[in-house]
Amino acid sequence: MKTDRSALMGSPKNKEFDVSDDFVKKLNENYKKELEKLHSVVGNKEDQIRKLQDLVKLQQKEIDRLTHINEYLMQANQTKLSILRDERQLNQGSKQSMKNKNHKSLIPLEKKIIKIPEDNTQSIKLFRRSTFRNPTLMKFHQEEGDTFKSERNTSGSSNFYDILQQEDCFRTNAILNIQLSDEDATTQYNQDGTVSLMKVLLDSEEIFNEIIQSISAQKLSFLFDKFKRVMSDHQQLFLLVLRLKKIVTGALQMNTSVLLDDALQNIIDKCVDCLECDRASCFIVDQTKKELWTRVAKGTSTTIRLQIGQGLAGFVAQNHTILNIEDAYRDQRFNTQQDTKNNYKTKTLLVSPILDGDKCVGVLQCVNKSNGFFTKDDEALLQIMAEFSKSVLKNALNNDAQILIQNKLRHIIKTGVILQGKQDNLLELLLSSEERLRSLMNVDYAKVIYWDNCLYHVNKDGKMTETQNLLGIVGKCIEEQQIMAVTNCYNSPIFNPNIDIETNMPIICMPLKTQSHQIIGAIQVINVKGIGNISSHSDTKINPIDLDMLELFCQLCSQSLLQCKIHKQQQ
């Protein structure tokens, strides 16, 4: 029996049954998984539907709220029209009685109030509250031209009602606008509606009493707005005076800065103080390199360099315009790399050029206003700061240039003393001359070549080399007896690596002439600063300081080589 059962279990039919059972189990498992996925998808869809339904309910509530506001505004407009209609009727009824009275008599305010119907008293009060915030009340006065004419009972009040319709055209920041002349600012001030109104209203006590007691409720409310504006302007002018006081005090302190680093730091400190911002930068424009640079940035210790046209400061330097940015990261011109490096978040920016005539010499940049955004008053104050900064930067740059000239002159004098002591040895004279030339121009490579029917120069090993022919750029310079400048030696067809400096940087080659205009050699030095316009490939301007120093060095070197030649002949 056991043998038969084992044989039966091992038969092919039973194996097929086992395979089919496994297949059915797998199908059931896959079915369960797919069913679970469908349940999850359905659940997500139901959540989305519930969210959309909630959103529709919120939108419906918003529609109902706006509908309610619209109905309220329509009712308020109807109330306003009824008040205006009652006011016209009131003025027309009092027109005949006004003619029989003396022009100098004063109409008590209580009498006018009694004539107003009681049912409109609350509406009038509502109108007075609404006109306090209604900047378009001018349209009402234009429509009420006939009503104004009926209320003009004296010359003073007649002028008052004319000026009451005059628009406000003057702003406090106009006083600070440097580009606006004093005459234009005075004209704007005199033509301003509020200023003209106050002049007429306060011309005399009699006119003031007459106007105040005869004016209607609507116009009295409008006059109240005018007084509020006068108070606001007075407060703004007071704050401007305080800020201008800071600028004047800061300007006096900035003018005491002689060194450029101190001047930049003082300018930045005063910008932060007067403009009430978190950080500031003062960029200097280098026209030769077409870039802006600053050694000091308030809040950072690194030097920042920008190409003209790059970033907001570069844009201002290129276009000579002021920028007031409320959100820096929404402006495509803003460079976020500095924020990333300094772990800082720039929000608001105010950037102004420092102009010297039509030339931009620098850029002032204020970052992150302490309380909100930079205003028009801030723009005007920064332009004043830029005017003060112009003179400070010019004085500091001139002082740096004078110090540089003094240092180079000391270097030239010391060079003459050193070379005079090397006149008895040509190799030492050439080595010393090259070392002093490298130090003078602050470069790594420089060569001095002596010419006496042969070219004598020092090779890379520090040994004297003699060449029979005029080779390379140096030979061309000696042959033509003129200054030569090359932007890249490797691109020059006359370049000779055996005698010329091997570099892809610009070089300048100058002949050495004695007082009798005899050629005695040449110098060749890397032209890092681009002593420009000598080469047709260079667009840089001539640096007169370096060029003058090179000419002085050539005179000293020529005299020393001539003395060395005479000493050699005497031997």
Side-chain angles (χ1 to χ4, degrees), residues 63-96:
I63 292 173
D64 296 339
R65 187 181 68 85
L66 293 176
T67 304
H68 178 71
I69 293 174
N70 187 32
E71 293 176 355
Y72 175 78
L73 292 176
M74 292 177 63
Q75 292 177 1
N77 190 33
Q78 292 177 358
T79 303
K80 176 183 175 181
L81 293 176
S82 64
I83 293 172
L84 296 179
R85 184 170 56 254
D86 295 338
E87 182 70 15
R88 291 192 189 95
Q89 294 175 359
L90 180 64
N91 291 328
Q92 290 175 359
S94 61
K95 182 176 180 181
Q96 186 65 30

Side-chain angles (χ1 to χ4, degrees), residues 399-531:
N399 181 74
D400 279 11
Q402 291 176 4
I403 294 176
L404 180 63
I405 293 173
Q406 292 175 4
N407 293 334
K408 287 185 178 292
L409 287 175
R410 291 191 189 99
H411 190 281
I412 290 293
I413 294 172
K414 188 175 180 179
T415 299
V417 175
I418 293 174
L419 297 184
Q420 189 175 3
K422 306 290 183 179
Q423 293 177 1
D424 55 345
N425 189 315
L426 181 59
L427 178 59
E428 293 183 1
L429 178 60
L430 292 178
L431 289 173
S432 298
S433 299
E434 290 180 356
E435 190 274 331
R436 298 302 297 176
L437 181 57
R438 288 193 298 268
S439 178
L440 176 67
M441 301 302 295
N442 194 24
V443 295
D444 296 329
Y445 301 103
K447 298 196 72 171
V448 178
I449 298 92
Y450 171 61
W451 167 252
D452 187 11
N453 297 324
C454 294
L455 291 177
Y456 298 91
H457 64 97
V458 181
N459 60 20
K460 298 179 181 179
D461 298 329
K463 297 180 180 180
M464 181 73 71
T465 302
E466 180 179 345
T467 304
Q468 297 294 329
N469 299 324
L470 294 172
L471 301 177
I473 301 172
V474 171
K476 190 72 171 178
C477 175
I478 294 175
E479 182 181 0
E480 296 184 357
Q481 300 185 14
Q482 63 180 4
I483 300 175
M484 295 188 64
V486 180
T487 55
N488 191 335
C489 291
Y490 296 118
N491 295 333
S492 176
I494 60 176
F495 169 71
N496 191 319
N498 295 323
I499 193 169
D500 292 322
I501 299 175
E502 296 185 46
T503 180
N504 57 2
M505 297 181 65
I507 65 166
I508 183 171
C509 195
M510 297 180 69
L512 298 176
K513 298 180 181 180
T514 63
Q515 294 181 355
S516 59
H517 302 287
Q518 178 186 356
I519 296 293
I520 198 170
I523 65 168
Q524 191 178 77
V525 63
I526 293 179
N527 186 14
V528 177
K529 296 183 179 179
I531 304 174

